[in-house]
Amino acid sequence: MLNIGVLVSGGGTNLQAIIDKIEDGYLKGCNISVVVSSRVGAYALERARKYNIPAISVPRKEYASIDEYDSALIKSMEDYDVELVVMAGFLSVLGEKFINRFKNKIINIHPSLIPSFCGVGYYGLIPHQKALEYGVKVTGATVHFVELEADAGPIILQKAVYIKDDDTPETLQKRVMEQAEWEILPEAIKLYSEGRLVMEGRKVRILEK
Ligand code: GRF
């Protein structure tokens, strides 16, 4: 059984997608052992509690430094025997201590086709606003391994979503979530749980079943 720790900050729709895929058997062999929110009262915590998943707040604002916050997050992961950390709408920065402790065991969902519209400051609606401003015809979502530099780790999966002429940042965000994020994040977790992700330099090769 792969124990997953999910880091959240907001609504938790990606967490819900993982829960749903465990419930329907797609992610058999996976277990969410804890959900940790950087913000008190995040609705993602309510989603976890509905399924009796341990759901705790480790509020970023209560820690003076990234290093101290890393230590608190590491403890919460270790308390629940977490083997894979999934960042699902997590809005705080993970520091070197956390990333080294869970090296190559942290994945993140980003709402764009990295390397476009990503990096520091690109979160929530912003990647979608920038895609619309730029006039790209295609955007999407990316699941990648997490390294110290924001949104720069080896890419695991991507899925494209076509932009419509009448899209707003909100309509685009919703479609990217529905058609891309909620599909590729559980798929990446499944591949990881089956040992089918192989690092080749900076590239991730997916082994056939
Ligand atoms: C999503 O767009 C996700 O890609 C980004 O945060 C947003 C909210 O995610 N990382 P969630 O609904 O809290 O899962």
Side-chain angles (χ1 to χ4, degrees):
M1 184 65 77
L2 178 70
N3 283 334
I4 300 166
V6 184
L7 297 178
V8 299
S9 297
T13 64
N14 279 284
L15 167 66
Q16 189 65 56
I18 301 167
I19 290 171
D20 293 347
K21 290 293 187 184
I22 290 174
E23 293 294 309
D24 74 10
Y26 175 79
L27 284 177
K28 57 183 178 294
C30 294
N31 168 59
I32 301 174
S33 50
V34 66
V35 173
V36 175
S37 175
S38 63
R39 291 184 178 170
V40 175
Y43 186 66
L45 295 170
E46 290 311 309
R47 294 182 188 271
R49 290 181 183 125
K50 283 183 186 151
Y51 291 84
N52 300 315
I53 297 168
I56 60 177
S57 294
V58 180
R60 175 65 185 85
K61 63 181 186 326
E62 291 181 6
Y63 297 84
S65 69
I66 287 182
D67 194 63
E68 287 169 85
Y69 193 51
D70 275 0
S71 298
L73 290 177
I74 288 168
K75 183 176 182 326
S76 61
M77 296 293 110
E78 291 177 343
D79 287 349
Y80 289 88
D81 303 317
V82 166
E83 299 162 287
L84 173 66
V85 180
V86 177
M87 297 170 70
F90 186 69
L91 297 178
S92 291
V93 174
L94 296 176
E96 203 153 3
K97 187 190 287 185
F98 188 97
I99 287 169
N100 289 339
R101 169 65 183 79
F102 292 100
K103 191 162 181 54
N104 298 327
K105 298 176 180 177
I106 313 168
I107 65 174
N108 179 49
I109 177 81
H110 180 76
S112 78
L113 295 177
I114 290 174
S116 296
F117 313 118
C118 66
V120 175
Y122 282 85
Y123 57 87
L125 280 175
I126 296 167
H128 305 296
Q129 285 166 346
K130 297 296 183 187
L132 291 172
E133 284 168 17
Y134 196 101
V136 296
K137 300 302 180 183
V138 179
T139 186
T142 301
V143 183
H144 62 93
F145 281 111
V146 172
E147 293 178 346
L148 204 51
E149 185 184 349
D151 302 330
I155 291 173
I156 300 167
L157 290 173
Q158 294 188 298
K159 184 165 184 188
V161 173
Y162 278 85
I163 286 175
K164 297 177 178 177
D165 292 342
D166 59 352
D167 261 325
T168 64
E170 290 77 9
T171 61
L172 183 55
Q173 178 184 51
K174 185 170 180 292
R175 198 160 68 255
V176 168
M177 283 175 155
E178 290 169 346
Q179 296 183 8
E181 296 181 39
W182 300 343
E183 183 182 310
I184 63 173
L185 183 56
E187 184 180 352
I189 293 168
K190 182 177 179 63
L191 291 168
Y192 185 98
S193 72
E194 294 172 351
R196 293 171 57 197
L197 299 176
V198 177
M199 295 304 299
E200 291 181 347
R202 279 204 45 79
K203 290 186 182 174
V204 179
R205 187 157 64 89
I206 298 173
L207 299 179
E208 289 307 309
K209 210 167 169 66

